[in-house]
Amino acid sequence: MSWYAIEDIEDALTATRQFLFPFDLRKWLKLAIIVFFIGGVGGGGGGTNFTVPSGDTPSDFPPIQEPANVVVLILVVVAVLLLIGLLFAIASSVFQFVFVDAVRSEEVHIRAPFRRWFGKGVRLFVFSFLLFLLILAPIFGVGAVFLFAVTPLLLLFLLPFLFIVAILLAITLSLTTDFVVPVMMHENLGVLAGWRRFWPVLREQWKQYGVYVVLRWLLGIAGGILVAIALAVVFVPVLGIGALLGFGLFAGAGGVTNAVIAFLVVLAIPIGLLLLIYALFVQVPVTTFFRYYALFVLGDSAPEFDLIPDQRRAVRADGEGDPTELSEDAAEDTDEPTDDDR
């Protein structure tokens, strides 16, 4: 028995190298944008601590806002953050299709594929969100009953169940992204219809996909370690130099001054942007490899769903052939689809 879930690792590495090199800055920048949305480095927020001198409040000190106004302000901020999170999540789902479109055609575009696959991306987001609610809502409900109605110790009996459900949820979402999304693109289907087409393949070759899930998890850990090392090599020195610079400026100015703070902020913005781009660039090869790996496994298990026939033939011909030339059949797959489910 041939375990193509293992053999395809080398093919995915070769295809990734052929796709990304020779290095093209424009291509990598576009891929970095895609990686940012589908699972790249996210942004984090911080807070600033303020201290108010003790004693009586000066007469010209701004009055504290009324509690009602504070509540309204908090609600507005929360609503804006939720809206931003919602838009980001929808964009992330659409970019899953944009990324597959890029690796199968070996041409990286953003705007046109985003418009083309927007409808299917929204469906993917709705499916993932409803699946998340469907599985987790009963779990939290049962947990709340045990936590408040009986005793917190009984909640420990639910932990194995919660762990198993969380794993099943993660596997389902991973299979949806890795395999159902390509099926949706190839067959012009919705999410549920894509799962119906993919399910017989998964059921018939469950051993291969079981090996894939395990290897995907192990390779994910290895890839995460490599990315962390690459980030530490640059981030640690830069942040260390930045800390020393800030300390020196504060010491030279005799304390915290508005001029020093403004200078550090102006300096930190471009440096932070460059670090973000570097972090995304580091993740581009890893993310590309995993996408190719899934497409190779899907094509080997179900040739009718193969989105990368030319890359597959070029990689397995030991360098013979040009992987950048798409066959007529692959080119026909790039025609504009409709959003109707079959």
Side-chain angles (χ1 to χ4, degrees):
M1 181 179 179
S2 177
W3 292 97
Y4 50 78
I6 300 176
E7 298 169 354
D8 287 342
I9 295 176
E10 183 177 356
D11 293 339
L13 286 171
T14 303
T16 299
R17 184 173 61 254
Q18 292 177 346
F19 176 57
L20 296 179
F21 299 99
F23 179 81
D24 184 334
L25 179 60
R26 185 180 180 87
K27 173 191 285 189
W28 278 66
L29 284 174
K30 292 180 180 179
L31 289 172
I33 294 174
I34 297 174
V35 168
F36 173 78
F37 281 98
I38 68 174
V41 176
T48 304
N49 294 324
F50 296 94
T51 57
V52 178
S54 58
D56 296 333
T57 303
S59 58
D60 57 346
F61 196 84
I64 300 177
Q65 290 181 321
E66 297 180 0
N69 294 335
V70 174
V71 172
V72 172
L73 179 61
I74 293 176
L75 291 177
V76 170
V77 172
V78 171
V80 171
L81 292 178
L82 289 176
L83 178 60
I84 294 175
L86 176 63
L87 295 177
F88 187 91
I90 294 175
S92 176
S93 298
V94 179
F95 273 106
Q96 296 289 351
F97 294 88
V98 174
F99 194 29
V100 175
D101 195 286
V103 298
R104 75 165 179 175
S105 65
E106 298 189 318
E107 295 182 0
V108 186
H109 302 287
I110 293 180
R111 287 179 298 180
F114 190 90
R115 291 193 299 266
R116 175 181 179 181
W117 302 111
F118 181 79
K120 294 190 184 302
V122 172
R123 296 179 186 182
L124 177 63
F125 164 76
V126 173
F127 172 82
S128 302
F129 182 73
L130 292 179
L131 180 65
F132 184 81
L133 292 181
L134 179 64
I135 295 179
L136 293 189
I139 294 177
F140 284 118
V142 174
V145 171
F146 276 92
L147 184 61
F148 296 106
V150 189
T151 171
L153 293 178
L154 294 181
L155 187 61
L156 295 177
F157 291 98
L158 285 179
L159 292 181
F161 174 70
L162 297 175
F163 180 72
I164 293 174
V165 172
I167 292 178
L168 292 177
L169 173 63
I171 292 176
T172 302
L173 294 177
S174 178
L175 292 177
T176 302
T177 301
D178 292 350
F179 301 111
V180 176
V181 165
V183 171
M184 293 169 62
M185 297 175 65
H186 190 276
E187 301 289 300
N188 188 26
L189 302 173
V191 183
L192 296 180
W195 257 109
R196 284 194 294 267
R197 292 283 284 135
F198 173 66
W199 178 252
V201 179
L202 177 62
R203 184 178 55 189
E204 180 180 353
Q205 305 192 44
W206 63 271
K207 294 181 180 179
Q208 295 280 4
Y209 283 94
V211 172
Y212 168 84
V213 169
V214 174
L215 290 178
R216 176 66 174 81
W217 179 69
L218 294 175
L219 292 172
I221 295 177
I225 294 174
L226 292 177
V227 169
I229 293 174
L231 294 179
V233 169
V234 173
F235 273 50
V236 172
V238 171
L239 295 179
I241 294 174
L244 292 176
L245 176 62
F247 179 79
L249 290 174
F250 287 137
V256 179
T257 64
N258 293 334
V260 172
I261 294 177
F263 175 78
L264 291 178
V265 170
V266 171
L267 184 63
I269 291 176
I271 293 178
L273 181 60
L274 290 176
L275 290 177
L276 174 61
I277 295 175
Y278 170 75
L280 294 174
F281 269 41
V282 168
Q283 296 184 77
V284 164
V286 178
T287 309
T288 303
F289 161 76
F290 284 121
R291 190 65 68 208
Y292 268 124
Y293 181 34
L295 292 177
F296 271 100
V297 171
L298 178 62
D300 283 334
S301 63
E304 65 272 21
F305 300 143
D306 190 6
L307 267 67
I308 51 171
D310 295 275
Q311 292 93 325
R312 187 185 307 276
R313 285 192 295 267
V315 166
R316 295 175 180 177
D318 294 329
E320 296 180 3
D322 184 3
T324 63
E325 295 179 359
L326 293 177
S327 65
E328 294 182 359
D329 293 338
E332 290 177 357
D333 289 338
T334 61
D335 291 340
E336 183 74 14
T338 63
D339 284 332
D340 296 332
D341 283 352
R342 295 180 181 176

